Amino acid sequence: MKAALWYGKKDIRVEEIEEPKVIKGNVKIKVKWCGICGSDLHEYLGGPIFIPVGQPHPLTGNVAPVVLGHEFSGEVVEIGEGVTNIKVGDRVTVEPIVACGKCPACKEGKYNLCSLLGFHGLCGSGGGFAEYTVFAEDYVHKIPDSMSYEQAALIEPIAVAIHSIRMANFNTGDTAIVLGSGPIGLATIKCLKAAGASLVIVLQRKSIRQEYAKRAGADHVLDPNEVNIAEEVKKLTGGLGVNTAFETTGAKIGFDIGIDSLKYGGTMVITSIWEGEMNFNPNVLVFSEKKIVGTLAYRHEFPATIAQMSDGRIKSDGYITKKIALDDIVEEGFGTLTGPEKKKHVKILVTPDKSLLSD
């Protein structure tokens, strides 16, 4: 079968590899669509970050090259021994966490903080940029008939946003600033509106993404090149600042403006993956009892995400900006998302089945 493999920084290759075999407790999925994630881009531009190189991953035993892709949907074509909740023909999405199930975090139900954490599509257990993949039944979720496979490929990034909002202890009526309106930023805006935010402000430099942010539900979109965003936020909140900031840029400007825009006692949630270190003075927290919370992926959020997307509380319209074949993923996918046209795109979906492109 064909699959896209990460060999190294800026080295992704579409190759023929052996089709995976189903094993006990696992299901085999024929992939329909898989999104290119910001994490995939980080691995492409600055990796390895999550991908095991040199030292095998402790749970999969694999090293690069690995099959990429973790935001995917598909149809179950085979089930392994002991599988009871999933059957052949089920339409599904995958919560792509590889966890040990034995460490203290896993035993607490915080499997996304597993001491040996890996991600399907990054740690060598297979991935969604392939014709088929095999994964554990416990992390495979059925999708309703009313949800398209394309929509289902968006469940994973939207679950990231829902988890970050839960980690913020965000309440109905609270105010927020979202730093950046890339895929996770836009998902965060949509989820904040669904959560009953009274005000959502977005930091976004002038580009088409300002319009995307407004369509997602942003009340105000501010360009740091045009205004002092922290001052504008104070004006918009009666001099207080926002309850919560969501950092999705992975850049110091986003971090600094987010902290400065918070009200006393406010919380900054960092969802972004960083490629390097950053300095800041902890006094900005101490003098006003502001808090910084890190958030990684999701845990137990997939059912809620599926429910809210299927009943329309969280809308996915406008999220998909391009659909391509697996054969074209390097040039039309990663090339597009790292090239001069990157700001025009939110989510590029990839399919190994070219017939789906004509549907």
Side-chain angles (χ1 to χ4, degrees):
M1 69 169 187
K2 283 184 180 177
L5 286 83
W6 185 97
Y7 275 83
K9 189 187 300 186
K10 293 190 176 180
D11 186 3
I12 293 172
R13 309 174 197 174
V14 177
E15 297 181 336
E16 287 286 339
I17 64 171
E18 187 177 345
E19 195 172 300
K21 294 180 173 57
V22 73
I23 58 175
K24 183 177 180 180
N26 282 241
V27 304
K28 185 174 180 179
I29 300 165
K30 179 179 174 62
V31 177
K32 296 291 187 178
W33 294 98
C34 184
I36 299 177
C37 176
S39 299
D40 298 323
L41 291 177
H42 283 299
E43 297 288 359
Y44 178 71
L45 294 172
I49 298 171
F50 291 110
I51 293 174
V53 173
Q55 189 77 16
H57 190 275
L59 294 179
T60 66
N62 294 327
V63 296
V66 301
V67 179
L68 288 175
H70 58 273
E71 303 179 351
F72 64 95
S73 62
E75 179 186 354
V76 175
V77 294
E78 189 178 351
I79 61 173
E81 179 188 345
V83 172
T84 57
N85 294 320
I86 302 291
K87 65 182 186 300
V88 171
D90 279 347
R91 305 168 72 251
V92 297
T93 186
V94 166
E95 183 177 358
I97 284 183
V98 178
C100 72
K102 301 173 183 177
C103 70
C106 283
K107 287 181 177 179
E108 281 185 31
K110 298 177 180 177
Y111 51 85
N112 64 319
L113 305 180
C114 174
S115 60
L116 302 177
L117 181 68
F119 291 93
H120 194 61
L122 289 169
C123 71
S125 59
F129 292 141
E131 293 180 63
Y132 296 92
T133 194
V134 170
F135 205 59
E137 174 193 20
D138 289 347
Y139 293 92
V140 176
H141 300 267
K142 298 176 190 177
I143 59 172
D145 291 339
S146 60
M147 180 178 284
S148 70
Y149 282 118
E150 289 97 328
Q151 286 176 304
L154 304 176
I155 290 168
E156 195 271 355
I158 291 176
V160 170
I162 286 181
H163 182 63
S164 71
I165 289 169
R166 286 182 171 177
M167 290 295 291
N169 293 317
F170 194 86
N171 296 310
T172 299
D174 281 356
T175 57
I177 183 169
V178 178
L179 293 315
S181 57
I184 296 300
L186 291 171
T188 303
I189 297 166
K190 289 175 181 282
C191 292
L192 282 167
K193 299 303 283 190
S198 62
L199 178 69
V200 177
I201 303 165
V202 175
L203 174 154
Q204 177 59 56
R205 288 191 175 94
K206 188 167 288 184
S207 74
I208 187 63
R209 286 191 178 175
Q210 288 188 333
E211 186 58 35
Y212 292 162
K214 292 173 186 174
R215 290 179 196 167
D219 297 295
H220 300 275
V221 181
L222 305 176
D223 184 342
N225 295 326
E226 295 179 351
V227 297
N228 182 311
I229 291 182
E231 288 182 2
E232 288 297 310
V233 169
K234 297 289 197 306
K235 291 177 186 176
L236 293 167
T237 55
L240 290 175
V242 291
N243 299 102
T244 313
F246 294 88
E247 208 306 294
T248 75
T249 68
K252 191 174 189 303
I253 184 173
F255 180 94
D256 289 343
I257 289 174
I259 289 290
D260 289 345
S261 299
L262 286 175
K263 100 183 254 194
Y264 56 85
T267 300
M268 163 105 95
V269 179
I270 298 180
T271 314
S272 49
I273 301 298
W274 294 65
E275 294 178 10
E277 296 180 354
M278 186 201 65
N279 296 321
F280 82 100
N281 187 335
N283 285 343
V284 300
L285 306 181
V286 174
F287 293 163
S288 53
E289 294 193 352
K290 295 175 181 177
K291 297 175 285 292
I292 298 177
V293 176
T295 175
L296 179 64
Y298 26 72
R299 58 174 179 264
H300 311 297
E301 274 98 9
F302 264 58
T305 305
I306 293 168
Q308 291 185 71
M309 288 179 67
S310 63
D311 69 14
R313 278 174 287 173
I314 297 175
K315 303 187 187 311
S316 58
D317 54 298
Y319 212 77
I320 299 165
T321 51
K322 189 177 185 182
K323 295 191 284 189
I324 63 172
L326 178 62
D327 285 333
D328 302 322
I329 190 172
V330 177
E331 182 177 341
E332 294 296 323
F334 286 90
T336 296
L337 291 173
T338 57
E341 299 288 296
K342 63 183 179 181
K343 292 288 186 184
K344 291 183 179 179
H345 289 279
V346 181
K347 185 62 61 178
I348 294 180
L349 293 189
V350 182
T351 181
D353 184 355
K354 289 183 180 179
S355 70
L356 296 181
L357 292 169
S358 58
D359 290 350

